[in-house]
Amino acid sequence: MKHLIDKLTCTHSLSEKELLYLLEHITKEDQNYLIDKAHEVRMKAYGDKVFLRGLLEFTNYCKNDCIYCGIRASNKNASRYRLSLEEILSACADGYHLGYRTFVLQGGEDPFFTDDKIVEIISSIKSKYPDCAITLSIGEKSKQSYKKYYDAGADRYLLRHETASKDLYESLHPTMSFENRHQCLQDLKDIGYQIGAGFMVGLPNQTNEDFVNDLMFLKELEPHMIGIGPFIPHKDTALSGKTSGTLDKTILLLAIIRLLLPNALLPATTALGSIDPLGREQGLKAGANVVMPNLSPLYVREKYMLYDGKICTGDESAHCRKCIEGRINKAGFSLDFSRGDHCNWRRI
Ligand code: SAM
């Protein structure tokens, strides 16, 4: 096993068979060795820096019906909201004063936000804060729409592939197409965005073979950012009562991803912090190098409830900033408030 981990560390690749063997047979001691290697590789690529991004959840309306998600269209118990342009700009102003130089605009797939509205939001933020990067995470759109957002100034786009196993994907997304999700990621890459893919860990019926598919898919796509986090059930979905993904497995996969793609921007996600009070710190020690504290106004925080037990729903942005700063320092890392672009990316 150590030989396999050394091979992964030196060559940044393993075959499907080797990855499966690693996932099936790794012991606690080997896992600690792998995490140490992931930490070394992260230190070589980015040093001890952790990039901070201000996250704005600006709408929880969604036309999709992903069966795991608390804001799925058919959840009639979700209390819906949309932020106005003024509310978005006010949250960005707070974020800018707190030091953030990246704003991540995330939401359900909400047709109310037409391309013109999204372009207006991007241009307004960019004209006030030209030194800031904008990341969008608003789901599947046409290539034309993606291009309009890019031309308006959006720099990055997060679109998790969710799972690279077609059957599993289709069982979780009854109204969506596996092929279209992949096409969207390719379109975003072709346009010139820094792209983010990623998946959930511990979905019902998900196997190590599925994780191997995810790892091979990521290695081939080479996204600039990779968001992975545990699946956590939501009480108003069909997966209510199912078991969450574990911290241990998520950390193992994070460390493998750091070794496969040394330069990737890897967030220690909110979901990781929600399944364990020190989950994000453990993620950072296993190779993660991004944290996305919440900048959304307090009065909507509890409504963007993707899963039960989401952390930081009652904390002011300034409190989140302070809390995360303490956690990052205590874990032995330093905060970086620059835009934090991927080292190989330039706007075209
Ligand atoms: N609509 C956009 C999209 O499709 O990319 C972004 C919003 S979506 C709610 C953001 C991410 O939340 C998804 O990519 C999914 O991985 C994650 N998510 C949703 N429900 C979850 C759950 N129950 N447990 C963990 N993560 C979840």
Side-chain angles (χ1 to χ4, degrees):
M1 184 60 77
K2 284 227 163 67
H3 170 71
L4 213 53
I5 296 171
D6 289 340
K7 181 174 172 195
L8 175 59
T9 307
C10 295
T11 64
H12 308 304
S13 93
L14 285 182
S15 68
E16 282 182 47
K17 246 173 124 178
E18 290 169 326
L19 282 170
L20 187 61
Y21 183 86
L22 192 152
L23 290 173
E24 299 265 297
H25 298 288
I26 194 157
T27 62
K28 192 73 207 148
E29 191 196 333
D30 295 329
Q31 179 154 334
N32 289 338
Y33 181 71
L34 188 142
I35 287 172
D36 287 348
K37 293 288 165 198
H39 178 70
E40 280 169 26
V41 167
R42 163 256 178 68
M43 291 299 283
K44 226 190 257 167
Y46 286 101
D48 69 352
K49 290 177 194 164
V50 176
F51 297 109
L52 275 289
R53 327 282 201 203
L55 175 64
L56 254 163
E57 298 157 336
F58 70 100
T59 171
N60 72 349
Y61 282 85
C62 191
K63 68 180 171 63
N64 291 331
D65 228 1
C66 310
I67 71 160
Y68 46 81
C69 186
I71 63 168
R72 67 195 303 244
S74 63
N75 181 9
K76 298 290 172 255
N77 293 333
S79 158
R80 305 284 171 176
Y81 72 91
R82 292 184 178 107
L83 296 185
S84 64
L85 177 60
E86 291 66 37
E87 288 173 304
I88 293 172
L89 289 174
S90 154
C92 289
D94 289 347
Y96 195 85
H97 291 303
L98 289 169
Y100 297 109
R101 294 296 178 268
T102 290
F103 300 118
V104 182
L105 298 171
Q106 193 183 84
E109 280 191 35
D110 181 358
F112 171 85
F113 286 98
T114 56
D115 285 353
D116 286 349
K117 287 199 170 87
I118 296 291
V119 164
E120 189 187 9
I121 293 169
I122 297 165
S123 334
S124 307
I125 298 174
K126 276 279 170 167
S127 68
K128 274 193 177 290
Y129 309 109
D131 53 334
C132 289
I134 295 181
T135 304
L136 296 177
S137 177
I138 53 174
E140 295 178 24
K141 309 277 174 184
S142 67
K143 188 169 184 183
Q144 256 180 333
S145 299
Y146 287 149
K147 179 84 172 84
K148 284 186 200 166
Y149 311 155
Y150 188 76
D151 291 343
D155 305 279
R156 309 181 186 135
Y157 206 105
L158 303 175
L159 186 77
R160 288 185 176 183
H161 64 281
E162 311 296 3
T163 167
S165 300
K166 186 171 156 64
D167 288 351
L168 183 59
Y169 184 91
E170 287 173 351
S171 72
L172 297 167
H173 306 93
T175 60
M176 294 163 75
S177 144
F178 180 75
E179 287 75 19
N180 193 55
R181 193 119 186 131
H182 289 219
Q183 187 60 51
C184 285
L185 280 164
Q186 195 53 55
D187 289 345
L188 289 161
K189 197 173 191 191
D190 293 345
I191 290 167
Y193 282 95
Q194 292 172 71
I195 61 162
F199 60 95
M200 275 173 286
V201 178
L203 288 159
N205 304 320
Q206 196 175 26
T207 62
N208 282 332
E209 280 82 0
D210 293 320
F211 293 131
V212 171
N213 288 343
D214 288 314
L215 297 171
M216 298 305 284
F217 172 74
L218 289 171
K219 183 68 189 165
E220 199 187 325
L221 180 68
E222 280 194 274
H224 307 82
M225 307 169 284
I226 299 164
I228 75 162
F231 155 73
I232 306 174
H234 184 287
K235 61 179 173 34
D236 296 321
T237 64
L239 302 185
S240 161
K242 299 284 184 198
T243 313
S244 296
T246 64
L247 177 67
D248 210 46
K249 191 72 168 211
T250 311
I251 295 292
L252 170 62
L253 286 158
L254 259 175
I256 295 175
I257 291 170
R258 170 58 68 209
L259 294 175
L260 280 174
L261 294 141
N263 295 325
L265 292 157
L266 273 181
T269 57
T270 307
L272 198 53
S274 299
I275 52 161
D276 186 290
L278 293 177
R280 283 174 299 178
E281 287 85 334
Q282 294 214 36
L284 295 176
K285 290 177 182 170
N289 63 339
V290 174
V291 175
M292 303 202 281
N294 207 314
L295 269 187
S296 307
L298 261 191
Y299 50 87
V300 301
R301 288 275 182 94
E302 286 210 339
K303 298 183 178 178
Y304 200 83
M305 205 48 92
L306 308 180
Y307 45 80
D308 296 335
K310 188 175 170 215
I311 51 167
C312 307
T313 54
D315 301 327
E316 293 282 357
S317 305
H319 176 82
C320 283
R321 154 84 167 77
K322 260 214 129 28
C323 163
I324 206 68
E325 178 172 354
R327 284 169 176 270
I328 291 170
N329 288 332
K330 207 164 162 205
F333 298 94
S334 69
L335 284 86
D336 189 311
F337 276 96
S338 66
R339 281 173 49 116
D341 288 307
H342 186 275
C343 51
N344 296 333
W345 181 82
R346 295 283 168 280
R347 182 171 265 279
I348 46 173

